[in-house]
Amino acid sequence: MAPHHVLRCCQRSLSWIPVIFINLIVGWSYYAYVVELCMNGLSCFFSPTVSYLVVFHLFFIMFIWSYWKTICSRPANPSKEFCLPKVEKEQYEKEEHPDTQQEILKKVVVGLPVYTRTGTGAVRYCDHCLVIKPDRCHHCSTCDMCVLKMDHHCPWVNNCVGFSNYKFFVLFLAYSMLYCAFIAATVLQYFIKFWTLCRWRSVGDCPQNQLPDTHAKFHVLFLFFVAAMFFISILSLFSYHLWLVGKNRTTIEAFRAPVFRNGPDKNGFSLGFSRNMAEVFGDQKKYWMFPIYSSHGDGNSFVTRLVNLDPEQIAVGLQINGKRSFLVCFLSFPIQ
């Protein structure tokens, strides 16, 4: 049987296959559109070639930029403060009873900004990484590490999508969708001309204002179908993640509501649409459309919303005009 590290190396090598596939598709689409369609196929009679190429390259650059930022951004891990101190770590490892282990973890977690628990109410601890999991942090078995604000592991980018690259991932979906939509929209009219008006004619009989029956015809055919197919699939995924951003949820939290000390709450991290957007994209809107890091915080702590009060959050009653109101004082960390 092959050693574990050899199997791990093979697994890591094979995990790049989807990325290579995507890059081959994108490389072919660039060749088909720029070379075959705009330069060879349509250059004699295609008047808006230059303007089409400018817009095409704009979407292409932003698409590639955000895609590789998503791939190359290393998943963020919990900070050292979430590791057990030496004494508690030794006690935890020696202890065999889960209840006693939980008592050790509860003493350590008192000074940490951790408000979520497991489904049974226990402190979330990773036995692989040996850290107390911050809120919204999960262990990825593929990456073999705990990832802050983990959304999912995406094989198409061969990386975990989480706190460090979620903005890049959303932009990657947006620009890939625009890239496919632009190609499909601009190729459609020439796709129709290729396969209707000149279908029964030879190159010599084809009118001057129609497209010649060359090998560019097949590039146009497949380019349109591939762009349309990817546009439809990416549109649904992009719409779903926009909804998640608006609700301030991850894919994991959408399927399994986070459990706070007083119970599960699927909207526990929602702060309103504008603040939810700012948490991912930042306060400065001029950076929203660029794959440049501008998200709030460090991923180790998050603000909770003003409902489903945590037992550790203080409610101070005030008497105003004979009516009782409440001033809620949160212990969670503010947005940075």
Side-chain angles (χ1 to χ4, degrees):
M1 185 175 181
H4 176 72
H5 68 277
V6 175
L7 294 175
R8 187 69 178 173
C9 183
C10 293
Q11 182 184 8
R12 289 179 178 177
S13 300
L14 293 174
S15 64
W16 284 101
I17 292 178
V19 176
I20 296 173
F21 173 76
I22 290 295
N23 280 274
L24 289 175
I25 292 293
V26 173
W28 166 78
S29 68
Y30 184 91
Y31 168 80
Y33 193 90
V34 175
V35 178
E36 292 294 343
L37 197 60
C38 292
M39 293 184 178
N40 296 341
L42 307 179
S43 57
C44 297
F45 49 85
F46 185 20
S47 56
T49 300
V50 175
S51 59
Y52 276 28
L53 283 175
V54 170
V55 178
F56 172 85
H57 279 91
L58 177 63
F59 288 146
F60 178 79
I61 292 172
M62 297 303 293
F63 166 38
I64 295 298
W65 185 9
S66 57
Y67 180 56
W68 280 99
K69 283 286 286 186
T70 307
I71 294 174
C72 297
S73 298
R74 189 179 186 279
N77 308 121
S79 60
K80 293 182 179 180
E81 64 178 326
F82 291 91
C83 297
L84 291 179
K86 185 177 180 179
V87 176
E88 283 77 4
K89 183 179 179 181
E90 292 177 353
Q91 293 176 351
Y92 182 88
E93 292 175 348
K94 292 178 181 178
E95 187 57 54
E96 297 180 356
H97 300 286
D99 293 339
T100 308
Q101 288 180 330
Q102 275 298 308
E103 291 300 323
I104 297 173
L105 294 178
K106 288 179 180 179
K107 291 179 181 178
V108 178
V109 84
V110 169
L112 297 175
V114 177
Y115 302 103
T116 55
R117 296 290 187 265
T118 65
T120 59
V123 176
R124 302 191 314 131
Y125 183 77
C126 181
D127 291 312
H128 296 280
C129 302
L130 304 178
V131 295
I132 295 174
K133 294 180 183 178
D135 293 342
R136 318 183 84 175
C137 176
H138 298 274
H139 184 87
C140 176
S141 58
T142 305
C143 296
D144 195 25
M145 65 175 69
C146 283
V147 180
L148 296 179
K149 197 186 177 183
M150 180 179 173
D151 188 88
H152 68 287
H153 184 91
C154 180
W156 300 109
V157 298
N158 191 27
N159 200 0
C160 252
V161 177
F163 177 79
S164 63
N165 62 354
Y166 188 66
K167 175 189 175 182
F168 307 148
F169 177 75
V170 174
L171 290 179
F172 153 61
L173 294 179
Y175 287 121
S176 60
M177 183 184 66
L178 292 174
Y179 178 75
C180 293
F182 178 79
I183 290 177
T186 54
V187 168
L188 177 60
Q189 56 180 317
Y190 306 104
F191 166 78
I192 295 174
K193 288 180 181 180
F194 267 136
W195 293 93
T196 55
L197 300 179
C198 294
R199 184 170 51 184
W200 304 108
R201 305 185 184 200
S202 64
V203 176
D205 295 331
C206 190
Q208 293 293 326
N209 63 336
Q210 305 301 338
L211 303 179
D213 192 6
T214 65
H215 62 280
K217 171 179 181 178
F218 299 98
H219 284 288
V220 171
L221 169 67
F222 291 109
L223 188 61
F224 174 76
F225 277 117
V226 170
M229 179 185 66
F230 274 95
F231 170 76
I232 294 173
S233 59
I234 295 173
L235 175 62
S236 59
L237 186 60
F238 176 67
S239 302
Y240 176 68
H241 277 279
L242 273 187
W243 179 79
L244 289 178
V245 172
K247 295 290 187 179
N248 202 347
R249 299 178 196 168
T250 63
T251 300
I252 296 176
E253 293 166 355
F255 286 94
R256 185 175 66 246
V259 179
F260 294 85
R261 293 187 181 97
N262 61 324
D265 184 0
K266 63 181 180 180
N267 295 316
F269 295 106
S270 181
L271 307 172
F273 181 78
S274 59
R275 292 185 66 185
N276 292 343
M277 291 289 291
E279 187 166 295
V280 175
F281 294 99
D283 292 320
Q284 295 182 299
K285 295 183 179 180
K286 61 182 179 180
Y287 296 126
W288 281 19
M289 305 308 295
F290 298 95
I292 301 173
Y293 182 81
S294 59
S295 302
H296 283 160
D298 58 3
N300 288 289
S301 60
F302 296 91
V303 180
T304 57
R305 71 194 188 110
L306 301 176
V307 295
N308 289 344
L309 300 184
D310 190 285
E312 291 191 7
Q313 295 165 345
I314 306 172
V316 182
L318 298 178
Q319 193 74 22
I320 303 178
N321 295 329
K323 295 182 180 179
R324 187 174 179 82
S325 63
F326 291 91
L327 175 63
V328 180
C329 302
F330 277 84
L331 299 180
S332 53
F333 284 71
I335 291 179
Q336 298 178 2

